[in-house]
Amino acid sequence: MPEVVELPVSLYKSETKPDWCPGCGDYGVLNCLQKAVSKLCIQPKDLLVVSGIGCSSNLPGFIHTYGFHSLHGRSVPVATGAKLANPDLNVVITGGDGDAYGIGLGHFLHIARRNINLTYIVMDNQIYGLTTGQASPTSRKGHKTKSTPAGNIETPLNPLVLAMVCGATFVARGFSGDANHLSDIMAQAIKHKGFSIIDVFSPCVTYNKVNTYPWFRENIYKLEDQGHDRSDYDAALKRAHEWDTKKIPIGVFYQTIAPTYEEEDVTLKHGNPTKQKLGLTPEQAQGMLKEFI
Ligand SMILES: Cc1ncc(C[n+]2csc(CCOP(=O)(O)OP(=O)(O)O)c2C)c(N)n1
Ligand code: SF4
């Protein structure tokens, strides 16, 4: 029998079509995710996509896999629970910069340090899209938005630096306008053993008139074109700081191998809990069911 090299992308197409504005960067992210999982031959039944709330967080509704649309900023704990309950599942978190780095920031830092084997894809449009264009944690200083009409006075946070200092083992940035590059990063991130984060420049064509497709094309460059060594932590951190000083790098900044949470956990190291025997007699099991259900 011929070896299966990849599954058809059509397998992941949902009957529900995206309702994003025409031209929204999130279309590119969705297509790249479908391409990446097809390349990795991950069956829809073996993939769970979890999100919070926001335009970008609607993504699980548009991909034919298991999906969970949780509360604003709460995708990480939901995904963590799912992954630890069934470590055989491929779990991908999708959401926006507001969801990940605003209301969900506490969870983001903790998932980075835990090194749970899942992937976080943040559609970073430097704005709150769903709530019609307020400033987000990654809006640049001086950006005039609906909530900052005189210009944003806050310093933006740097998600890649944050992820790195918290111990993330795969840290990358992509651009939704460069599909081949982004889907390749996604495939690497999903394949990576441990926590992987990809911050994706995903333009909001309706509410962000500054960070547009042409603006990104003008301002980004690829790390791999500069011979960047992804295993060099200090070099990666330096590159991650570049946004305000030079052109903006995209690509894989940092990757290292470290034990995952699942490998170290006293129960999970014995394998998938859904496949382990409970060690109860039928009578004991019935008793427990009566007590709790
Ligand atoms: C607890 C809570 N607070 C606030 C909101 C309102 N809200 C919904 S989406 C959102 C921000 C979305 O921005 P982002 O995560 O960047 O996603 P985008 O829409 O830009 O893709 C906010 C503040 C909410 N739904 N729940
Ligand atoms: S408002 Fe912005 S982020 Fe939301 S769908 Fe439209 S373009 Fe995309």
Side-chain angles (χ1 to χ4, degrees):
M1 232 168 95
E3 197 192 333
V4 180
V5 266
E6 51 187 73
L7 295 171
V9 177
S10 56
L11 207 58
Y12 310 92
K13 299 282 176 201
S14 162
E15 279 177 19
T16 312
K17 298 293 163 237
D19 55 0
W20 293 313
C21 308
C24 175
D26 298 350
Y27 286 98
V29 176
L30 173 65
N31 291 338
C32 287
L33 179 58
Q34 289 164 328
K35 213 165 147 186
V37 290
S38 79
K39 232 191 267 175
L40 295 174
C41 288
I42 298 172
Q43 294 282 351
K45 71 171 178 57
D46 297 325
L47 177 64
L48 169 69
V49 185
V50 181
S51 71
I53 300 291
C55 295
S56 41
S57 286
N58 290 335
L59 189 145
F62 311 137
I63 181 165
H64 177 62
T65 62
Y66 287 109
F68 197 116
H69 193 187
S70 76
L71 298 176
H72 190 31
R74 303 297 165 244
S75 53
V76 167
V78 171
T80 300
K83 182 69 184 175
L84 300 190
N86 183 359
D88 292 340
L89 206 53
N90 293 278
V91 180
V92 172
I93 310 172
T94 58
D97 41 297
D99 199 69
Y101 312 138
I103 191 168
L105 184 66
H107 299 304
F108 178 75
L109 304 182
H110 291 295
I111 198 159
R113 83 185 167 84
R114 287 188 179 129
N115 202 29
I116 299 175
N117 189 11
L118 42 71
T119 297
Y120 200 165
I121 299 169
V122 182
M123 285 158 266
D124 188 351
N125 54 17
Q126 294 84 37
I127 207 93
Y128 285 178
L130 189 75
T131 48
T132 71
Q134 298 83 3
S136 89
T138 52
S139 297
R140 314 316 292 175
K141 212 164 178 172
H143 191 166
K144 288 186 180 170
T145 72
K146 197 177 267 187
S147 60
T148 58
N152 184 20
I153 58 171
E154 296 182 7
T155 306
L157 61 73
N158 186 322
L160 302 188
V161 171
L162 274 177
M164 281 190 66
V165 297
C166 288
T169 53
F170 184 104
V171 179
R173 185 191 275 138
F175 172 45
S176 75
D178 190 337
N180 288 336
H181 188 247
L182 180 57
S183 66
D184 182 52
I185 295 177
M186 284 183 185
Q188 291 184 50
I190 295 168
K191 243 186 358 194
H192 173 74
K193 187 175 74 74
F195 176 65
S196 48
I197 151 86
I198 313 169
D199 184 74
V200 182
F201 291 142
S202 180
C204 171
V205 293
T206 304
Y207 295 112
N208 188 342
K209 303 295 185 194
V210 177
N211 309 113
T212 59
Y213 288 98
W215 187 90
F216 281 117
R217 288 206 173 94
E218 176 75 14
N219 284 286
I220 56 179
Y221 76 89
K222 289 186 180 141
L223 283 170
E224 52 269 37
D225 293 344
Q226 306 255 324
H228 172 67
D229 173 7
R230 66 171 74 180
S231 68
D232 183 338
Y233 182 86
D234 292 335
L237 207 51
K238 215 167 157 192
R239 295 280 184 173
H241 274 292
E242 270 179 22
W243 175 299
D244 286 321
T245 49
K246 298 183 187 158
K247 286 204 165 200
I248 310 163
I250 62 169
V252 181
F253 286 67
Y254 183 61
Q255 184 171 21
T256 192
I257 304 288
T260 64
Y261 188 93
E262 300 92 303
E263 284 169 340
E264 303 223 87
D265 180 83
V266 69
T267 308
L268 296 175
K269 69 166 88 165
H270 298 299
N272 185 330
T274 64
K275 293 180 181 158
Q276 287 180 41
K277 292 220 180 327
L278 282 175
L280 298 173
T281 64
E283 294 73 30
Q284 285 170 322
Q286 282 304 325
M288 279 181 77
L289 281 174
K290 261 200 196 128
E291 193 177 338
F292 294 110
I293 299 178

